[in-house]
C-alpha cells in the first residue's frame, strides 16, 4: 500500500507492506540508519524515533500506521547546516557516547523530554530513559549531558 | 511458516472497524499501538490475514465523566499516567500505567490493548478491578457490556468475539474516605513484567478501621483476579491498633489465609511459585499502610 509520511520534515510517498515495521522502512528503504535494531522486541530502545513528537520503538511499530503522520529520526535533529543541537553537543562534550549503539535512541527520548520540560530533574531524566538500555552502562554521563544541555540553553 | 499478513486497513470510525471485523471474522486482528500485537506477529504467535488498525479512531481516545469515569479504549498508558484528573479519580490506574514498559511503550500502548491481550500480568487489570470496571464491546449487532471480572476467561483468553471491538472501560472514581494503591513486584523498578501485582481500594470508617475493601491481583493466577474472600476478611481491620501486622492480628491473618487460598501462581522465568507466594502477605500489609496514609487515616489531628 502507498502511504505518505513526513520524515524529518520532508513528505515522502512510500510503498509499504502490511507487516513492515517503521524501523525496516527507515533503515532498509529510506537509508536512515541512525535508529538501530537492538532487540527487535521493544525492550532496548535503540530504535527510538519520535512519532508526532512522542518517543516510540520503531522496531515494533507498523510502518503503515505512520500514514499522514510525522516521524523524526536522529538524522533530523541537527539542522541542514550540520550544527549539533545543544543536547548532541553536550553528549559529545560529556563523554556520553561510549560504543554509541544506544546513542541515537537516547537522544530521541531525551529530545522528547526536553520538549516537554525545559529543566527536568535528575529523577525525571532517569525515569524518561528507562526504556533505553546502554550496554556500556554509561548512564551517569548521559544524565550529566542533559544537565549540561539544560544549562547551555539558559 | 505462516503466510505474511496480506492487508492493513486503517479504520476512521468505530462503525468502519466493526464492519471490517464482521467481514474478516477470525482472519482479522485489531491493531492499535502494536506493542503486543507486532511483537507476537514477529514471533509467529499470530497470523492474521488482515490488520484492522484503529489508532486513528478519535472517538475512542477520549475520557468522559458522568458519575463513572469512561476511558476510551485508545487512551494510552502515558495519558493514564500523566493526566491530572485521572490521577485524582483513579490513582492506582495511573500508578500501574506508569510501570508499563518504558516511555516508548507508554506512548502508543493503549488501555484496550492491555486488556484484550489477556496477559495474566496485565498491570492495568488490578486497578481496574478494584474500581469495579465494566468493558464495553461493540459489534454490528450492538453494544455488549461485560464486567471486567468476567472478561478474563483464562490465560490469553478474553470474552471478546472476533467481530467485537473493545471501545471503552467504565470505572468508579475514588469516593470520599477511600484510598487506593497499585504495588508491583519486579526485578527492576522499571521495564519489567510483574512478578506479582496487587491493587487495593479501601474505604475507612470515621474511626479509621476498614469499612470496605477491594483487592485484586495480577501474575498470581491464570488471569488477573479480584479476591473477594480477602476483601471480606479485611473489613473491620483497625490498623491503628498496635501489632496489626502480626500473625496474631485476627483480621490480617484471615486476610492472608484467604489470599493464599485464592491464588495459584506459577513458577516461570520471572520468578518461582514459592517467591510469588512469599511476597504476597507483605504486599497486602503494605497496601493497607499506604492506603491509610493516602486517606489521611490515623494522622493525629491538630
Amino acid at each position: 500500500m502507498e502511504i505518505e509520511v513526513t520524515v524529518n520534515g520532508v513528505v515522502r510517498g512510500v510503498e509499504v507492506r502490511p507487516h513492515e515495521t517503521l524501523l525496516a522502512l527507515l533503515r532498509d528503504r529510506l537509508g536512515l540508519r541512525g535508529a538501530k535494531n537492538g532487540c527487535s522486541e521493544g525492550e532496548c530502545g535503540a530504535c527510538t524515533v519520535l512519532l508526532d513528537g512522542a518517543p516510540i520503538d520503531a522496531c515494533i511499530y507498523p510502518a503503515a500506521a505512520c500514514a499522514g503522520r510525522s516521524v523524526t529520526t536522529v538524522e533530523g535533529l541537527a539542522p541542514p547546516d550540520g550544527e549539533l543541537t545543544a543536547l548532541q553537543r553536550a553528549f559529545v562534550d560529556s563523554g556520553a557516547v561510549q560504543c554509541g549503539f544506544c546513542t541515537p535512541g537516547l537522544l530521541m527520548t531525551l529530545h522528547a523530554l526536553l520538549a516537554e520540560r525545559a529543566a527536568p530533574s535528575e529523577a525525571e531524566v532517569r525515569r524518561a530513559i528507562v526504556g533505553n538500555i546502554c550496554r556500556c552502562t554509561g548512564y551517569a554521563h548521559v544524565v550529566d549531558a542533559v544537565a549540561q544541555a539544560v544549562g547551555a540553553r539558559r | 511458516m505462516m503466510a505474511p499478513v496480506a492487508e492493513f486497513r486503517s479504520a476512521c470510525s468505530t462503525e468502519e472497524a466493526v464492519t471490517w471485523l464482521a467481514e474478516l471474522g477470525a482472519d482479522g486482528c485489531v491493531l492499535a499501538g502494536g506493542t503486543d500485537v507486532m511483537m507476537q506477529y514477529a514471533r509467529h504467535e499470530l497470523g492474521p490475514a488482515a490488520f484492522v488498525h484503529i489508532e486513528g479512531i478519535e472517538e475512542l481516545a477520549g475520557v468522559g465523566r458522568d458519575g463513572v469515569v469512561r476511558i476510551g479504549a485508545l487512551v494510552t498508558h502515558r495519558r493514564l499516567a500523566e493526566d491530572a484528573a485521572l490521577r485524582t479519580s483513579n490513582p492506582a490506574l495511573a500508578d500501574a500505567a506508569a510501570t508499563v514498559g518504558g516511555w516508548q511503550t507508554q506512548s502508543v500502548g493503549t488501555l484496550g490493548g492491555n486488556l484484550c491481550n489477556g496477559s495474566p500480568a496485565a498491570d492495568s487489570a488490578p486497578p481496574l478491578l478494584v474500581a469495579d470496571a465494566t468493558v464495553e464491546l461493540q459489534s454490528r449487532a450492538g453494544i455488549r457490556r461485560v464486567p471486567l471480572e468476567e472478561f478474563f476467561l483464562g490465560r490469553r483468553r478474553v470474552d471478546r468475539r472476533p467481530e467485537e471491538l473493545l471501545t471503552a472501560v467504565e470505572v468508579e472514581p475514588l469516593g470520599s474516605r477511600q484510598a487506593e494503591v497499585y504495588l508491583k513486584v519486579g526485578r527492576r523498578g522499571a521495564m519489567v513484567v510483574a512478578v506479582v501485582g496487587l491493587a487495593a481500594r479501601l474505604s475507612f470508617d470515621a474511626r479509621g478501621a476498614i469499612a470496605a475493601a477491594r483487592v485484586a491481583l495480577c501474575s498470581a493466577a491464570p488471569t488477573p483476579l479480584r479476591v473477594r474472600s480477602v476483601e471480606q476478611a479485611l473489613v473491620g481491620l483497625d490498623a491503628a491498633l498496635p501489632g496489626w501486622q502480626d500473625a496474631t492480628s485476627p483480621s490480617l491473618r484471615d486476610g492472608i489465609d484467604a489470599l493464599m487460598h485464592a491464588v495459584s501462581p506459577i513458577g516461570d522465568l520471572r520468578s518461582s511459585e514459592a517467591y510469588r507466594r512469599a511476597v504476597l502477605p507483605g504486599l497486602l500489609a503494605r497496601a493497607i499502610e499506604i492506603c491509610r496514609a493516602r486517606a489521611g487515616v490515623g494522622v493525629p489531628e491538630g
Side-chain angles (χ1 to χ4, degrees):
Chain A
M1 62 189 286
E2 176 84 12
I3 64 160
E4 268 195 1
V5 52
T6 303
V7 179
N8 296 332
V10 179
V11 180
R12 311 282 295 252
V14 281
E15 181 72 25
V16 296
R17 291 158 292 163
H19 62 277
E20 187 169 357
T21 66
L22 174 57
L23 186 63
L25 171 65
L26 292 171
R27 287 183 59 88
D28 302 342
R29 300 208 288 122
L30 299 181
L32 296 168
R33 305 235 164 85
K36 300 288 184 274
N37 188 14
C39 68
S40 310
E41 296 204 334
E43 288 284 333
C44 77
C47 65
T48 304
V49 299
L50 305 185
L51 178 66
D52 294 332
I56 63 163
D57 289 319
C59 72
I60 53 167
Y61 194 77
C66 299
R69 301 169 80 179
S70 173
V71 174
T72 307
T73 70
V74 72
E75 291 90 344
L77 288 182
D81 67 9
E83 192 185 335
L84 297 179
T85 63
L87 183 65
Q88 287 173 311
R89 171 52 54 199
F91 260 60
V92 174
D93 293 345
S94 311
V97 179
Q98 292 186 47
C99 87
F101 199 79
C102 70
T103 307
L106 276 165
L107 283 169
M108 300 319 292
T109 304
L110 290 168
H111 266 278
L113 177 69
L114 292 175
E116 272 188 9
R117 303 186 73 82
S121 68
E122 181 180 331
E124 286 171 334
V125 172
R126 288 184 179 274
R127 193 161 59 236
I129 59 172
V130 298
N132 291 88
I133 311 282
C134 170
R135 286 301 305 271
C136 310
T137 71
Y139 300 103
H141 289 309
V142 170
V143 173
D144 290 348
V146 178
Q148 191 182 312
V150 167
R153 295 203 310 188
R154 281 186 170 158
Chain B
M1 188 72 189
M2 278 181 268
V5 60
E7 258 192 288
F8 190 101
R9 303 187 190 182
S10 276
C12 296
S13 67
T14 305
E15 198 186 335
E16 189 168 45
V18 298
T19 301
W20 288 342
L21 290 175
E23 176 197 319
L24 291 161
D27 288 332
C29 175
V30 177
L31 175 72
T35 53
D36 285 314
V37 168
M38 289 295 283
M39 203 169 70
Q40 288 160 9
Y41 178 82
R43 289 175 175 172
H44 306 293
E45 290 169 9
L46 43 90
F51 283 134
V52 175
H53 178 237
I54 61 167
E55 249 182 325
I57 305 177
E58 279 176 30
E59 66 220 43
L60 300 185
V63 177
R65 280 159 206 285
D66 178 20
V68 297
V69 180
R70 183 184 161 85
I71 308 171
L74 288 178
V75 170
T76 62
H77 300 304
R78 178 78 178 167
R79 171 138 181 232
L80 291 174
E82 301 279 316
D83 186 288
L86 279 171
R87 187 161 271 289
T88 304
S89 66
N90 297 84
L93 183 60
D95 290 346
T99 74
V100 178
W103 188 354
Q104 295 89 334
T105 298
Q106 293 170 21
S107 291
V108 287
T110 64
L111 183 63
N114 196 234
L115 298 178
C116 288
N117 188 44
S119 166
D123 285 305
S124 63
L128 291 175
L129 287 168
V130 300
D132 232 357
T134 301
V135 300
E136 185 184 278
L137 298 149
Q138 200 168 324
S139 70
R140 292 186 74 187
I143 289 172
R144 195 164 68 92
R145 295 162 57 79
V146 181
L148 183 62
E149 219 179 334
E150 294 165 24
F151 183 66
F152 298 117
L153 300 177
R155 191 183 172 279
R156 300 234 172 255
R157 286 195 306 120
V158 295
D159 182 16
R160 183 185 74 82
R161 300 167 193 149
E163 70 276 15
E164 286 180 323
L165 184 66
L166 193 154
T167 47
V169 184
E170 288 187 350
V171 292
E172 285 180 10
L174 266 190
S176 60
R177 249 203 279 271
Q178 278 192 339
E180 65 175 20
V181 68
Y182 176 64
L183 297 174
K184 176 174 177 174
V185 176
R187 292 196 171 200
R188 283 178 65 197
M191 291 296 289
V192 289
V193 176
V195 164
V196 288
L198 182 149
R201 179 182 287 201
L202 303 181
S203 308
F204 296 93
D205 66 19
R207 284 187 314 110
I210 295 174
R214 289 185 192 151
V215 180
L217 305 162
C218 66
S219 290
T223 68
L225 80 163
R226 215 176 128 176
V227 280
R228 288 171 192 275
S229 54
V230 179
E231 298 174 357
Q232 284 154 17
L234 292 182
V235 172
L237 176 72
D238 184 354
L241 294 176
W244 67 276
Q245 294 180 61
D246 298 348
T248 51
S249 155
S251 296
L252 193 65
R253 190 186 58 214
D254 290 352
I256 289 169
D257 285 349
L259 185 60
M260 291 300 114
H261 274 101
V263 300
S264 50
I266 57 166
D268 61 13
L269 79 166
R270 292 196 299 279
S271 182
S272 66
E273 180 192 340
Y275 182 77
R276 287 190 162 104
R277 286 188 172 277
V279 293
L280 278 166
L283 220 51
L284 182 64
R286 203 158 105 219
I288 295 168
E289 277 187 308
I290 292 171
C291 284
R292 275 174 54 81
R294 288 188 176 180
V297 172
V299 177
E301 283 175 39

